[in-house]
Amino acid sequence: MTQAETATAPATVNEPTNGTPLLELRDLHVYYGNIEALKGVSMTVGEGEIVTLIGSNGAGKSTTLRAISGTHKPRSGAVMLEGRDIHHLPAHEIVSLGIAHSPEGRKVFSRMTVYENLQMGAFSRKGEKIEPDVARVFDLFPRLKERRTQKAGTMSGGEQQMLAMGRALMAHPKILLLDEPSMGLSPILTEQIFNIIREINGQGTTVLLVEQNALMALNAAHRGYVIQTGKILLADTAKNLAANEQVRQAYLGEI
Amino acid sequence: MPGRRIRLNFVNLFLWLLGGGLLAFAAYGSFLTLIEGRIQPNQWQNLIVAGVALGSVYALIALGYTLVYGILFMINFAHGEVFMWGAFTAFFAATALNDAGMMASNPVLAFFLVLATSMLVSMVVAIMLERIAYRPLRGAPRLVPLITAIGASLFLQYTARGFYGSGVRAYPDYTIFDGTISLGFLSLSVKQAVVILAAVGLMVGLYLFINRTRTGRAMRAVSEDKDVAAMMGINVDRIIVTTFAIGGLLAGAAGILYTLIFNQVLFFMGFLPGIKAFTAAVLGGIGNVIGAALGGLILGVVEQLGPNLFLSGYGVPSPNQLKDVIAFSVLVLVLIFRPSGLLGRKENT
Ligand SMILES: Nc1ncnc2c1ncn2[C@@H]1O[C@H](COP(=O)(O)OP(=O)(O)O)[C@@H](O)[C@H]1O
Ligand SMILES: [Mg+2]
């Protein structure tokens, strides 16, 4: 089938040509016990890009992000950040190398205030001034500023999503991993969140965006990968993917 | 299934009756005692002060249980032994300083030296417990570290017994802490004042540490979600060790304060205060720091006041022998009526 053809040569056409990519995954195999969740995932993210990873529930999107941020170690393969393999490093060291992960389901510290959550986001930058970054986050998400001293657990889903993204930004990441930021949000809020993702990218942060909401994700991204049961199925520019017949049928809800 | 629900309700009914009966028994006993007026107001006051002092010690130990539970969802049942090692260290340090004449020449410095040594030794014991007994078992089923805790507890007890013998050892007296203080209607011994002040100081320090410092915030983050804490750049293992270390420091301080009140050490002395401090932690809501402090104080006061208040009215010949019964009845009542404790969150795991 054509699937196999596309899968064997992922992304080479659209890969940024200027030297090593910011992030590169090489043949990642990740297991949960005996279950192989990723069966050889390879992909690249170039500096300044928004790259999206789309796929249905259980395809392995979150697992890919966990392998990158070190929260779930791959059994084999490599995670190259600026040409250096980091897959064996503990998660708490990976953050300070420039990878911030905003996990699925927000996972804000619910018993801490908004401000304390932001402080936690900057934990890896010991001793640095964080006020300018707090100001930047409040600029992006004015709602958070009003709730500065509120406990995060008492906020709405949309506000928690904003906080999760703001918290990740506090680490000054080179690359921001976003896991389903639109999950459970109203269409209006989703629209807002995607605009902010573009804005963050415009300010110079590279973004790897995982989404089930393929349409929105492909609209915002430069390039995309489609993952299915632990394998990369398609890799192309976001525009081409959005036009792809297969993608339209499987992920954009068209018949 | 309906059959099961009916059975559960029946058990609950029985427990409520039992709890209600205990409360009614205590209330009627208090009524009788107060009517009789056999105990003078100043005796009540002494009992309450003694209870607060003892409760401060329980609170310090209880904090160790609650901090570790908050992070690992595990009861460190060897914590009573950490306390015992603190008390033993205080005994040896104080004896040595006493023999060297320092207790006489510079008693305040001697006290702080003994305090520092006890806290340090207990901290080291707590850290080694985590490293050797618990860390290799992280991720194992819950029962496994529990059994290990019992093993570690026996190991620590019998190590102390092997080195120092099974007899009770008298603790040298701090003559500087003799005497009493009167604050208007309130009078208490200097020792009690020292115990209460030291405990309150340590607890305030802990509160500020947890709420105001970077490491304290990291502890709170780890207690909410270890994976996400690691994503923030927190070295979770280091925070876990830090938590055990803080629990150890507080237990070591509790060790010297306890010996200050009771003037003796014994290899088995960690057992009862350990279990009572655990009761205090459950009473306050395990995992909750303020709850542990509150639970300790309440338990100390109930234990001192309870026998005389609840029982002497019934003509019980020596009610104070029943203070442990009363302390554990408190645990039973908490488990019946408010399993999550006074300040505890509803269980959501
Ligand atoms: N903690 C886990 N334990 C066992 N299996 C898991 C775990 N997390 C995910 N999986 C399995 O791994 C596969 C990929 O999951 P995931 O990466 O969460 O998918 P996605 O994010 O694309 O929905 C699924 O089959 C899922 O059941
Ligand atoms: Mg997912």
Side-chain angles (χ1 to χ4, degrees):
Chain A
M1 281 178 69
T2 51
Q3 291 184 15
E5 279 165 41
T6 6
T8 44
T12 35
V13 200
N14 306 292
E15 203 171 290
T17 45
N18 51 340
T20 45
L22 180 58
L23 180 75
E24 181 181 3
L25 308 185
R26 289 187 188 157
D27 196 27
L28 280 186
H29 290 262
V30 181
Y31 287 76
Y32 293 102
N34 288 326
I35 301 163
E36 188 173 20
L38 296 190
K39 303 162 182 167
V41 165
S42 299
M43 56 190 288
T44 59
V45 181
E47 184 151 9
E49 281 191 301
I50 300 181
V51 172
T52 185
L53 179 63
I54 56 179
S56 47
N57 197 14
K61 306 182 295 295
S62 298
T63 305
T64 307
L65 294 193
R66 279 188 217 121
I68 298 170
S69 68
T71 36
H72 193 87
K73 296 292 171 203
R75 193 171 290 182
S76 67
V79 177
M80 313 290 289
L81 181 70
E82 297 173 313
R84 172 184 170 207
D85 186 9
I86 58 162
H87 87 268
H88 55 278
L89 295 178
H92 63 87
E93 287 179 21
I94 290 179
V95 203
S96 43
L97 299 178
I99 298 181
H101 185 169
S102 170
E104 182 176 330
R106 289 116 202 186
K107 301 284 173 67
V108 294
F109 296 113
S110 56
R111 284 176 250 147
M112 294 186 165
T113 65
V114 166
Y115 185 75
E116 285 175 327
N117 268 275
L118 296 179
Q119 281 180 308
M120 290 321 301
F123 192 86
S124 57
R125 296 167 43 214
K126 189 175 180 173
E128 290 176 37
K129 275 257 163 292
I130 67 162
E131 286 314 319
D133 303 279
V134 174
R136 176 190 171 205
V137 170
F138 285 164
D139 230 33
L140 284 168
F141 305 103
R143 191 90 67 91
L144 294 182
K145 190 173 187 173
E146 300 161 22
R147 317 243 147 169
R148 190 187 158 99
T149 56
Q150 191 172 329
K151 290 264 190 292
T154 64
M155 300 199 302
S156 72
E159 289 162 345
Q160 291 192 19
Q161 183 56 51
M162 295 174 189
L163 180 56
M165 288 170 61
R167 183 180 64 178
L169 282 176
M170 292 296 294
H172 270 189
K174 292 173 184 148
I175 178 163
L176 178 62
L177 312 179
L178 294 175
D179 199 339
E180 304 211 24
S182 75
M183 186 199 267
L185 300 188
S186 70
I188 297 171
L189 261 175
T190 305
E191 187 74 45
Q192 267 182 32
I193 292 284
F194 274 91
N195 283 336
I196 292 169
I197 293 171
R198 289 191 191 92
E199 193 174 339
I200 292 169
N201 179 250
Q203 293 171 359
T205 307
T206 306
V207 177
L208 175 53
L209 172 65
V210 155
E211 265 298 338
Q212 279 196 59
N213 190 339
L215 185 61
M216 293 294 289
L218 289 173
N219 266 336
H222 303 105
R223 289 189 305 120
Y225 292 82
V226 177
I227 186 170
Q228 193 174 60
T229 54
K231 283 185 183 144
I232 299 291
L233 194 68
L234 295 166
D236 211 331
T237 60
K239 201 176 285 175
N240 287 349
L241 284 178
N244 182 305
E245 210 42 49
Q246 221 180 327
V247 173
R248 298 188 77 84
Q249 281 186 14
Y251 304 105
L252 301 181
E254 291 185 11
I255 305 153
Chain B
M1 269 174 277
R4 184 166 169 73
R5 224 177 65 204
I6 286 165
R7 203 181 71 87
L8 267 181
N9 283 343
F10 191 71
V11 170
N12 281 346
L13 190 67
F14 172 76
L15 289 175
W16 284 330
L17 283 175
L18 178 72
L22 274 173
L23 287 176
F25 181 79
Y28 186 61
S30 310
F31 173 73
L32 289 178
T33 308
L34 293 175
I35 287 281
E36 265 180 42
R38 202 167 356 145
I39 297 171
Q40 303 306 311
N42 70 317
Q43 286 176 295
W44 288 125
Q45 190 241 268
N46 288 345
L47 286 171
I48 291 174
V49 171
V52 171
L54 183 62
S56 313
V57 175
Y58 289 160
L60 288 178
I61 310 174
L63 284 165
Y65 282 104
T66 234
L67 287 171
V68 166
Y69 185 87
I71 283 193
L72 288 178
F73 302 105
M74 180 199 92
I75 308 292
N76 173 14
F77 272 117
H79 191 58
E81 268 47 72
V82 176
F83 156 81
M84 178 268 287
W85 273 73
F88 256 91
T89 307
F91 166 75
F92 281 105
T95 309
L97 291 179
N98 198 23
D99 292 348
M102 196 172 171
M103 295 261 273
S105 65
N106 199 342
V108 176
L109 181 65
F111 174 73
F112 279 103
L113 270 179
V114 174
L115 182 66
T117 333
S118 312
M119 290 175 74
L120 208 69
V121 168
S122 285
M123 181 184 82
V124 171
V125 172
I127 289 175
M128 292 202 325
L129 262 179
E130 196 274 330
R131 276 285 158 106
I132 298 169
Y134 300 137
R135 189 181 296 187
L137 298 172
R138 219 174 288 152
R142 278 187 182 207
L143 197 57
V144 176
L146 196 67
I147 304 283
T148 309
I150 294 170
S153 184
L154 290 172
F155 175 88
L156 289 171
Q157 273 179 26
Y158 285 88
T159 308
R161 180 180 172 160
F163 281 128
Y164 314 127
S166 59
V168 171
R169 303 245 194 150
Y171 188 77
D173 210 16
Y174 285 97
T175 38
I176 38 156
F177 296 147
D178 287 348
T180 56
I181 309 174
S182 279
L183 304 164
F185 63 97
L186 193 76
S187 89
L188 71 174
S189 76
V190 175
K191 276 183 186 168
Q192 286 170 332
V194 169
V195 169
I196 294 169
L197 280 180
V200 168
L202 285 165
M203 288 190 273
V204 170
L206 176 73
Y207 186 82
L208 292 177
F209 180 80
I210 290 177
N211 285 296
R212 301 281 164 80
T213 68
R214 189 178 132 86
T215 307
R217 270 197 303 280
M219 284 171 66
R220 285 186 286 144
V222 170
S223 86
E224 283 208 39
D225 191 324
K226 290 186 198 49
D227 279 347
V228 180
M231 282 177 196
M232 301 295 115
I234 297 170
N235 184 339
V236 174
D237 277 341
R238 188 182 296 164
I239 292 299
I240 291 174
V241 173
T242 307
T243 306
F244 272 85
I246 292 172
L249 285 172
L250 297 175
I256 176 175
L257 299 180
Y258 192 82
T259 46
L260 215 53
I261 304 177
F262 292 102
N263 277 318
Q264 57 183 34
V265 294
L266 172 68
F267 79 99
F268 198 59
M269 69 181 287
F271 180 70
L272 261 187
I275 299 249
K276 286 195 190 146
F278 168 68
T279 302
V282 173
L283 170 62
I286 189 125
N288 186 306
V289 169
I290 295 178
L294 190 67
L297 286 178
I298 292 176
L299 194 72
V301 171
V302 169
E303 180 182 321
Q304 290 293 313
L305 201 59
N308 298 287
L309 183 62
F310 307 147
L311 299 176
S312 61
Y314 291 111
V316 174
S318 50
N320 278 315
Q321 296 299 317
L322 291 167
K323 64 181 172 37
D324 297 340
V325 174
I326 288 183
F328 294 117
S329 302
V330 170
L331 180 61
V332 171
L333 289 174
V334 172
L335 292 178
I336 292 176
F337 291 115
R338 209 179 153 83
S340 56
L342 296 176
L343 305 182
R345 281 179 299 273
K346 279 267 180 297
E347 203 63 53
N348 54 0
T349 24

